[in-house]
């Protein structure tokens, strides 16, 4: 059974990991999709700004065209080399003005986003006399080739669009054609937050479903373990009660056999001794049955006959009776209360106190001290013994029905695991509480608190 539970836990953990991984993968896919969707949205919105920026400032655009034209013509004339053209294009004096205009346009047209951008020049190609192209400049997009914009790196930016411009002209009887290509890169500030905000619903739903799954898993495993514990406890109980019943039944069997012998029946002394044995074993069987019956009742089903009792006197009578039954035990009292009147059921409380005292004897004590105190306005009775003690990790289960501490050879000691359960039920029925303090090998102290 234990192996099956472990196997089940292992399978469930694997299933949980697989499901969580799938969920994470789905969330990642949704995130990638949202990023792509976001880029498309930004591209579409920026695409509305006309291609050659002429609507931003037509004067600047014509200045730019004039510059390109003069640079091309100087190149044809042989006055300028390629790097002069590149420097001329990249360091034009109108660049800051264009950057500011575009920024302002973004702020006006896309007020919900804070956008950084860069327009970089990729190509500057001159075709002379319809001949082969003279590539003055052609590169992959680099931030160093920035024409306009405030971006410092293209790393986290995405391409919005590329613009190809052509200019035709004639210079010194040469027809030429200029082809330029520039690309616009943008980076939206806090774009991750924007996307996460758009994914709130999906994230919350996934988180909630994983949490539900884990909770269900934990609840199911807990229930399984509890069930296993109950079934173990029941098996233990059956073993214990069988063991408890065997001795009196065997004695009864032997006694009956002996009584069948005529010479025994004729000897009064022997006859009486056998009858006494039968009667004792009969009582023992009766007690066992009573104990099981009494403990089949739940706390709220116990019928109490409560009366006002002077508790110290009541305790003393239990102690004195106990001393007569166990003359070898050193039973001491340390009462620091006087004439405390409590409303108790005399019969059940006596049985509960006796259970605790008998356990002390059963589990190895020679000296027992019964103490009374007032603690936090409650009446406290404690039973301190010098027996074998109880390991800390077993203490939480002590008051459970049928629970017995398994201690190797110790369970030569007879019992059904009902004594402390009964104590707990009776104390609870009096709205009190019972607790234990113990260390293995160092004795045990049970404390019962009752309302004054
Ligand atoms: P049992 O019939 O086994 O005595 P109880 O419910 O009375 O059942 O006690 C439960 C378990 O608690 C016992 O099996 C025993 O191991 C442990 N126990 C109870 N009282 C003491 C004690 N005074 N000292 C050590 N162990 C104790």
């Amino acid at each position: 059974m234990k192996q099956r539970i472990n196997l089940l836990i292992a399978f469930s953990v694997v299933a949980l990991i697989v499901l969580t991984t799938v969920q994470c993968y789905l969330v990642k896919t949704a995130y990638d999709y949202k990023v792509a969707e976001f880029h498309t949205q930004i591209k579409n919105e920026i695409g509305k700004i006309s291609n050659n920026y002429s609507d931003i400032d037509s004067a600047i655009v014509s200045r730019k065209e004039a510059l390109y034209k003069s640079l091309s013509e100087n190149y044809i004339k042989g006055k300028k080399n390629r790097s002069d053209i590149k420097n001329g294009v990249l360091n034009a004096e109108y660049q800051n003005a264009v950057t500011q205009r575009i920024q302002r346009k973004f702020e006006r047209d896309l007020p919900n986003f804070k956008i950084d951008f860069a327009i970089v020049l990729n190509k500057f190609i001159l075709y002379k006399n319809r001949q082969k192209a003279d590539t003055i400049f052609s590169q992959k997009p680099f931030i160093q080739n920035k024409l306009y914009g405030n971006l410092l790196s293209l790393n986290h930016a995405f391409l919005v669009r590329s613009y190809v411009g052509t200019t035709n002209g004639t210079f010194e009887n040469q027809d030429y054609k200029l082809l330029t290509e520039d690309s616009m890169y943008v980076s939206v500030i806090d774009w991750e937050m924007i996307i996460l905000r758009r994914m709130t619903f999906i994230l919350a739903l996934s988180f909630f479903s994983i949490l539900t799954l884990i909770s269900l898993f934990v609840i199911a495993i807990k229930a399984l373990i509890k069930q296993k514990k109950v079934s173990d406890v029941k098996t233990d109980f059956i073993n214990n009660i069988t063991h408890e019943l065997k001795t009196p039944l065997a004695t009864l069997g032997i006694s009956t056999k002996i009584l069948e012998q005529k010479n025994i029946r004729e000897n009064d002394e022997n006859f009486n001794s056998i009858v006494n044995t039968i009667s004792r074993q009969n009582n023992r069987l009766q007690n066992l049955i009573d104990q099981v019956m009494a403990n089949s009742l739940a706390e709220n089903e116990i019928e109490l006959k409560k009366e006002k009792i002077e508790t110290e006197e009541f305790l003393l009578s239990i102690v004195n009776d106990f001393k007569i039954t166990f003359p070898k035990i050193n039973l001491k009292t340390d009462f620091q209360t006087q004439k405390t009147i409590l409303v108790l059921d005399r019969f059940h409380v006596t049985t509960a106190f006796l259970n605790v005292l008998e356990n002390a004897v059963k589990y190895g004590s020679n000296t027992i001290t019964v103490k009374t105190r007032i603690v936090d306005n409650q009446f406290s009775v404690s039973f301190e013994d010098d027996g074998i003690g109880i390991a800390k990790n077993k203490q939480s289960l002590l008051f459970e029905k049928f629970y017995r501490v398994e201690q190797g050879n110790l369970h030569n000691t007879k019992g059904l695991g009902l004594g402390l359960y009964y104590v707990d039920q009776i104390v609870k029925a009096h709205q009190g509480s019972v607790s234990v303090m113990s260390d293995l090998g160092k004795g045990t102290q049970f404390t019962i608190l009752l309302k004054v």
Side-chain angles (χ1 to χ4, degrees):
M1 178 80 175
K2 191 158 187 180
Q3 224 173 9
R4 263 175 55 198
I5 291 184
N6 285 344
L7 213 66
L8 207 74
I9 293 178
F11 270 126
S12 313
V13 168
V14 171
L16 215 65
I17 291 173
V18 170
L19 282 173
T20 313
T21 315
V22 170
Q23 192 80 12
C24 289
Y25 173 74
L26 289 177
V27 170
K28 171 78 174 70
T29 314
Y31 177 79
D32 290 344
Y33 171 75
K34 288 275 176 200
V35 171
E37 189 188 57
F38 180 68
H39 284 184
T40 312
Q41 181 197 356
I42 297 289
K43 278 181 198 174
N44 287 343
E45 305 229 7
I46 290 179
K48 288 174 201 158
I49 298 168
S50 67
N51 270 342
N52 63 0
Y53 319 118
S54 55
D55 63 334
I56 291 174
D57 194 321
S58 54
I60 289 181
V61 170
S62 48
R63 256 159 71 199
K64 180 187 101 175
E65 276 170 4
L67 172 75
Y68 282 15
K69 207 170 169 181
S70 90
L71 287 171
S72 307
E73 289 174 1
N74 279 331
Y75 180 74
I76 292 169
K77 237 197 281 179
K79 272 192 178 172
K80 296 242 187 233
N81 60 28
R82 291 177 183 195
S83 67
D84 288 337
I85 294 190
K86 190 175 169 186
N87 287 337
V89 172
L90 294 181
N91 300 318
E93 23 76 39
Y94 52 78
Q95 280 176 340
N96 282 342
V98 176
T99 300
Q100 281 168 20
R101 299 276 157 89
I102 296 178
Q103 263 176 331
R104 244 176 277 140
K105 192 157 176 68
F106 281 161
E107 278 164 22
R108 212 174 340 133
D109 293 356
L110 304 167
N112 297 330
F113 305 110
K114 279 185 84 181
I115 293 176
D116 286 342
F117 74 100
I119 295 169
V120 290
L121 184 68
N122 308 329
K123 286 196 177 99
F124 196 97
I125 302 172
L126 211 54
Y127 297 86
K128 282 182 287 182
N129 280 340
R130 303 179 202 286
Q131 287 168 8
K132 62 180 173 58
D134 190 356
T135 305
I136 291 165
F137 184 89
S138 176
Q139 265 182 338
K140 277 194 215 143
F142 276 123
I143 194 68
Q144 286 80 359
N145 300 336
K146 181 164 76 178
L147 290 175
Y148 325 109
N150 55 351
L151 264 183
L152 298 177
S153 151
L154 297 185
N155 282 350
H156 297 291
F158 59 95
L159 177 69
V160 171
R161 64 182 176 78
S162 290
Y163 169 66
V164 178
T166 49
T167 314
N168 294 314
T170 312
F171 183 68
E172 293 178 344
N173 295 327
Q174 285 198 52
D175 283 339
Y176 72 89
K177 185 174 177 183
L178 174 66
L179 186 132
T180 56
E181 185 193 288
D182 52 47
S183 305
M184 179 187 266
Y185 283 83
V186 303
S187 159
V188 180
I189 294 170
D190 282 344
W191 63 273
E192 290 100 336
M193 284 313 295
I194 296 172
I195 290 180
L196 283 182
R197 233 175 284 134
R198 289 180 182 185
M199 287 184 64
T200 315
F201 183 66
I202 296 178
L203 286 176
L205 213 66
S206 327
F207 181 72
F208 183 72
S209 59
I210 288 181
L211 206 73
T212 313
L213 221 62
I214 292 176
S215 314
L216 286 178
F217 164 73
V218 171
I219 292 170
I221 297 293
K222 264 192 176 167
L224 210 69
I225 291 174
K226 194 168 174 191
Q227 218 175 24
K228 152 111 178 67
K229 226 193 274 167
V230 170
S231 110
D232 283 355
V233 157
K234 282 205 171 136
T235 316
D236 279 356
F237 171 71
I238 290 168
N239 290 341
N240 287 334
I241 198 146
T242 320
H243 175 81
E244 292 283 293
L245 291 173
K246 261 186 189 159
T247 324
L249 283 176
T251 319
L252 283 175
I254 293 166
S255 305
T256 331
K257 281 253 158 58
I258 295 172
L259 276 186
E260 281 167 2
Q261 295 168 20
K262 206 169 173 214
N263 57 338
I264 299 277
R265 283 202 306 270
E266 280 164 0
N267 180 331
D268 269 1
E269 203 183 321
N270 282 347
F271 180 78
N272 285 339
S273 142
I274 298 291
V275 169
N276 277 344
T277 309
I278 292 177
S279 157
R280 260 202 321 277
Q281 297 307 329
N282 184 40
N283 279 345
R284 192 149 168 225
L285 283 175
Q286 191 58 51
N287 281 343
L288 274 172
I289 290 165
D290 286 351
Q291 213 182 338
V292 176
M293 291 295 284
N295 285 293
S296 62
L297 294 175
E299 159 199 352
N300 50 3
E301 290 173 79
I302 301 170
E303 260 186 49
L304 296 178
K305 285 196 203 92
K306 287 190 183 174
E307 54 187 300
K308 283 188 179 171
I309 293 176
E310 198 192 295
T311 315
E312 290 78 8
E313 193 187 303
F314 166 63
L315 271 172
L316 219 52
S317 70
I318 296 176
V319 166
N320 289 334
D321 286 354
F322 195 81
K323 275 182 179 164
I324 296 168
T325 328
F326 296 94
K328 286 186 187 152
I329 300 294
N330 178 11
L331 184 53
K332 297 190 283 190
T333 52
D334 168 13
F335 292 175
Q336 291 193 8
T337 57
Q338 274 178 358
K339 299 191 181 220
T340 315
I341 305 287
L342 297 180
V343 183
L344 305 173
D345 179 305
R346 193 179 283 274
F347 172 75
H348 285 300
V349 175
T350 306
T351 316
F353 287 174
L354 281 177
N355 278 355
V356 178
L357 286 169
E358 278 166 10
N359 271 350
V361 177
K362 239 164 70 177
Y363 299 106
S365 318
N366 294 313
T367 307
I368 309 170
T369 314
V370 183
K371 296 179 178 173
T372 68
R373 304 274 186 278
I374 295 288
V375 178
D376 294 336
N377 288 330
Q378 282 182 300
F379 183 80
S380 144
V381 194
S382 45
F383 301 85
E384 207 178 305
D385 70 44
D386 60 350
I388 55 168
I390 305 161
K392 290 263 182 262
N393 62 343
K394 313 277 180 189
Q395 292 177 9
S396 62
L397 301 168
L398 279 191
F399 301 101
E400 292 202 0
K401 210 172 188 173
F402 307 131
Y403 181 78
R404 305 197 73 209
V405 179
E406 295 158 30
Q407 285 164 327
N409 56 8
L410 183 109
H411 268 191
N412 304 326
T413 326
K414 290 172 189 153
L416 298 177
L418 287 171
L420 289 181
Y421 170 74
Y422 177 82
V423 173
D424 189 48
Q425 297 297 301
I426 293 302
V427 171
K428 277 184 184 154
H430 284 83
Q431 283 82 45
S433 63
V434 53
S435 59
V436 61
M437 259 172 40
S438 180
D439 263 324
L440 205 55
K442 291 187 186 156
T444 307
Q445 178 176 338
F446 284 97
T447 303
I448 293 165
L449 291 175
L450 294 165
K451 264 207 285 193
V452 182

